[in-house]
Amino acid sequence: MADEADDVAGARALFAAGRFPEARKAFEGILAADPSSPEVHYYLGRLAIERRDTADAVRELEKAAELAPASAPIHEALGDAYGRSAEKAGILGSFSLARKCAAEYRRAVSLDPRDLEARERLLEFYYRAPAIVGGGAAKAAGEAAAIEAVEPGRGSRAFANLYIADGKYDLAQAELDKALRTAPGDYATLYDIGRLAATSGQHLDRGLESLRLCLSLEPPKGAPPHSAAQWRLGNILEKRGDVAGARAAYKAALELDPKDTQASDALRALDRAQGGG
């Protein structure tokens, strides 16, 4: 048992380090010896999500949920898998999978009301999904309020994101200011201030200052990485007419993450605009 626990810990460490092929091989080896481990099925499901194998992700995570029905993280991950599957399915199939996605997020929240990541996923689902599959702006606002009750600053950011999506930029700024008063120097809030400036075209100097401060901080788990901050920095510099600065920011984003399609698309668009075609 001690050896198996060590093996699981080692595989988990590989996953945390982003060494996904090695982690998959390690977890598959453990599964061969213990096919009834919900944790191993959970990680294999998350690894399948990472490589965009939605069928494998659903299969592994459904098995994990069967073995550990009271695990909020497993239901949250299964919701992710159903959501990714819905994106690939036809219209009728996507409706069924979308309902399953929301049901899993709700199950995760019911098991652990303080699981804010599950609540944020549910909020995004409610905001983006049509009413026919259970979406709705009022439901999204309800999740933002629930998040705020547990973690005020995070709840303010949730409300701000809803306001940004609706183009209510002044309300979004007020929520972000409130979040910053709750937690001065918070990376995620500073990033969102920069994102708001890049999206709205307002308060560009403050957006630049916030994003540059982000780049001096370590991104916390789940927050946009430095590559995203560089991309947003490029957006603002482009709006200010600083073409050289914007190009440098987009290139810096790609140096940090060569697969950052938003930065590569922005760089190509900038080059086309400068080339006149």
Side-chain angles (χ1 to χ4, degrees), residues 67-88:
L67 292 166
S71 169
I74 287 175
H75 287 286
E76 181 185 328
L78 181 54
D80 291 345
Y82 284 141
R84 300 290 178 87
S85 297
E87 293 171 0
K88 293 184 175 182

Side-chain angles (χ1 to χ4, degrees), residues 57-246:
V58 167
R59 182 170 54 253
E60 292 289 355
L61 289 162
E62 284 182 339
K63 183 63 177 178
E66 177 187 324
L67 292 166
S71 169
I74 287 175
H75 287 286
E76 181 185 328
L78 181 54
D80 291 345
Y82 284 141
R84 300 290 178 87
S85 297
E87 293 171 0
K88 293 184 175 182
I91 293 177
L92 293 178
S94 68
F95 283 179
S96 173
L97 288 164
R99 292 189 184 98
K100 287 184 176 182
C101 169
E104 291 302 321
Y105 290 153
R106 284 195 291 267
R107 178 65 173 154
V109 167
S110 71
L111 288 165
D112 182 3
R114 298 180 69 85
D115 183 344
L116 299 189
E117 289 185 4
R119 285 198 180 277
E120 286 171 342
R121 282 168 166 76
L122 191 54
L123 180 154
E124 185 174 1
F125 175 89
Y126 285 147
Y127 186 82
R128 295 182 181 278
I132 194 171
V133 294
K139 293 179 181 179
E143 288 305 315
I147 293 167
E148 189 172 41
V150 177
E151 192 174 315
R154 197 162 174 173
S156 293
R157 294 201 311 274
F159 276 115
N161 287 332
L162 291 176
Y163 289 138
I164 291 171
D166 285 341
K168 299 175 180 177
Y169 300 134
D170 289 344
L171 291 176
Q173 188 66 66
E175 289 293 340
L176 293 174
D177 287 341
K178 184 165 66 173
L180 209 57
R181 287 194 297 272
T182 301
D186 177 69
Y187 179 100
T189 305
L190 291 167
Y191 176 85
D192 281 343
I193 290 171
R195 182 168 73 90
L196 174 58
T199 302
S200 67
Q202 302 170 5
H203 308 294
L204 297 181
D205 287 344
R206 187 179 181 193
L208 285 176
E209 180 184 355
S210 296
L211 289 170
R212 285 169 175 154
L213 185 52
C214 272
L215 293 171
S216 71
L217 302 171
E218 186 68 25
K221 180 182 176 182
H226 281 167
S227 57
Q230 288 284 9
W231 168 59
R232 290 295 186 184
L233 198 65
N235 295 162
I236 294 175
L237 290 168
E238 197 170 348
K239 280 183 166 61
R240 292 183 64 181
D242 185 350
V243 174

Side-chain angles (χ1 to χ4, degrees), residues 46-60:
R46 289 187 61 188
L47 286 162
I49 290 174
E50 289 290 339
R51 65 177 185 275
R52 301 183 181 180
D53 184 342
T54 54
D56 200 18
V58 167
R59 182 170 54 253
E60 292 289 355

